[in-house]
Amino acid sequence: MRHKLIWLLVSLVILVGGITALKLTVPFAYAEASLRSPALEFVVELQKMSDVDPEECAERYLYYDTDYQSEIPARIEITTKQLPESRVRVSIYDPSCRDDSVHSSIDRIYLHRTDQGVWIPYRHEWSQTGRGQFGWTTEPTS
């Protein structure tokens, strides 16, 4: 009986530790951000001048009218997941934001490709880590 109790406690500690470690490394939730019309117009116009892949389209959308508009820092990591029906999800991870309260951020930009071959963002989600919050959160950091 005592061995079962010890194993139960050890299992519980491992489970809680695993969940805590996961919360520190991956977001459990994302908040939806409003799409920004000027940034949408910018990426559509950009694609009239040259072919743009979905990764570049997403990063140019996200960083439109910011300090990173002309050059994306090398620390930014971008991954793409193919979705059905000419759609993709581009994840943009900044492991070291240059912000007073946000340490890391992940933005997920969902895009669809029109019949004319233009990538259009249709959804933007985000999550972040930062001061005053434990692990990944969609709550404000202070």
Side-chain angles (χ1 to χ4, degrees):
M1 178 70 169
R2 184 173 178 173
H3 288 279
K4 286 183 180 180
L5 182 59
I6 290 172
W7 278 110
L8 181 63
L9 289 173
V10 168
S11 298
L12 184 62
V13 167
I14 290 171
L15 179 65
V16 169
I19 291 171
T20 301
L22 268 175
K23 175 123 173 90
L24 291 173
T25 57
V26 296
F28 288 147
Y30 289 87
E32 192 161 345
S34 298
L35 293 175
R36 297 173 296 133
S37 294
L40 288 170
E41 293 169 11
F42 173 74
V43 296
V44 169
E45 287 299 315
L46 184 67
Q47 293 176 78
K48 289 180 181 177
M49 294 181 270
S50 66
D51 287 338
V52 175
D53 62 34
E55 293 86 2
E56 182 179 356
C57 184
E59 72 183 25
R60 299 293 293 260
Y61 168 82
L62 181 63
Y63 294 122
Y64 175 74
D65 203 23
T66 71
D67 293 342
Y68 302 149
Q69 180 172 332
S70 60
E71 185 175 346
I72 308 300
R75 70 178 185 273
I76 304 296
E77 299 173 25
I78 299 175
T79 57
T80 301
K81 179 178 180 175
Q82 294 291 340
L83 303 173
E85 301 175 17
S86 299
R87 296 173 188 263
V88 296
R89 180 183 72 208
V90 178
S91 298
I92 302 172
Y93 172 57
D94 187 343
S96 180
C97 297
R98 305 294 196 244
D99 187 280
D100 290 340
S101 63
V102 177
H103 299 176
S104 301
S105 68
I106 295 179
D107 289 271
R108 299 194 314 188
I109 310 295
Y110 293 79
L111 304 104
H112 71 89
R113 189 167 196 162
T114 67
D115 292 339
Q116 294 75 34
V118 176
W119 289 104
I120 308 285
Y122 66 90
R123 184 174 184 178
H124 177 189
E125 299 173 330
W126 62 272
S127 193
Q128 63 190 10
T129 65
R131 195 170 7 146
Q133 297 290 333
F134 175 74
W136 288 93
T137 183
T138 57
E139 299 296 319
T141 55
S142 54

